[in-house]
């Protein structure tokens, strides 16, 4: 956790982005480090947890981080939490809470509330289009003999 907090301070002070750092650990070694790069990379998805997951997956040459844990300087936002689940990371250790982040202007708590709402009640209008055409592709995937499940 100290490494995640150190990254958050170091990279924030270097102008890389917000005050967030994360490390992925497998056994007793760090296999991926990440920090917030939203503003320096012009990438709204470049949160500390996501960049740590990308680094760890590259290091492991695998899309699954089963058997790994993540240490993050702040409770993950919904996007990062989903990425952690998709990566199959075991445990999440965090320092600051989403309420702490909201107190300094990072209102992830809004997103937690928003994703819990039915589609028709969310702030962003969400409309379904061309479902028949899209379902055809799903049917092709279902029959695909050489697919790699994830």
């Amino acid at each position: 956790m100290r490494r995640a907090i150190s990254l958050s301070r170091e990279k924030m002070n270097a102008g890389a982005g917000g005050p967030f750092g994360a490390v992925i650990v497998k056994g007793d070694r760090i296999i991926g480090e990440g920090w917030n790069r939203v503003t320096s990379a012009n990438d709204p998805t470049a949160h500390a947890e996501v960049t740590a997951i990308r680094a760890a997956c590259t290091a492991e040459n695998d899309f699954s981080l089963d058997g790994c844990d993540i240490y993050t300087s702040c409770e993950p936002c919904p996007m990062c939490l989903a990425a952690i689940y998709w990566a199959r990371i075991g445990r999440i250790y965090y320092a600051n809470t989403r309420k702490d982040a909201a107190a300094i202007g990072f209102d992830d708590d809004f997103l937690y509330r928003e994703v819990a709402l039915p589609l028709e009640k969310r702030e962003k209008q969400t409309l379904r289009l061309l479902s028949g055409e899209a379902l055809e592709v799903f049917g092709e995937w279902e029959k695909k003999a050489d697919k790699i499940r994830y």
Side-chain angles (χ1 to χ4, degrees):
M1 182 61 77
R2 285 193 179 94
R3 180 61 183 152
I5 294 168
S6 176
L7 283 167
S8 73
R9 177 179 286 119
E10 175 189 334
K11 301 304 182 177
M12 174 195 67
N13 287 333
F20 305 98
V23 296
I24 309 282
V25 175
K26 185 174 189 178
D28 62 354
R29 64 187 175 90
I30 293 173
I31 62 166
E33 295 186 337
W35 52 91
N36 184 284
R37 299 179 187 171
V38 170
T39 56
S40 59
N42 294 317
D43 179 354
T45 69
H47 289 198
E49 296 89 342
V50 171
T51 61
I53 289 168
R54 290 172 182 163
C57 286
T58 298
E60 293 294 296
N61 195 32
D62 199 341
F63 57 81
S64 175
L65 296 175
D66 188 30
C68 297
D69 297 323
I70 188 167
Y71 293 79
T72 179
S73 65
C74 189
E75 182 180 359
C77 76
M79 176 186 69
C80 292
L81 184 61
I84 290 165
Y85 274 85
W86 280 116
R88 313 284 193 275
I89 292 171
R91 286 179 294 238
I92 303 167
Y93 297 96
Y94 68 95
N96 293 320
T97 68
R98 63 177 120 157
K99 301 287 185 196
D100 297 329
I104 62 165
F106 295 93
D107 198 5
D108 298 349
D109 204 40
F110 162 76
L111 293 172
Y112 273 100
R113 290 188 309 274
E114 186 77 2
V115 298
L117 295 174
L119 292 177
E120 65 276 3
K121 295 196 177 201
R122 291 184 186 167
E123 186 177 295
K124 303 286 182 192
Q125 188 177 27
T126 306
L127 306 166
R128 189 173 183 191
L129 300 173
L130 302 175
S131 61
E133 291 179 34
L135 280 171
E136 286 177 21
V137 179
F138 274 19
E140 292 171 25
W141 168 259
E142 194 172 37
K143 295 173 190 164
K144 187 173 171 45
D146 63 344
K147 64 186 164 208
I148 299 172
R149 294 193 178 274
Y150 58 95

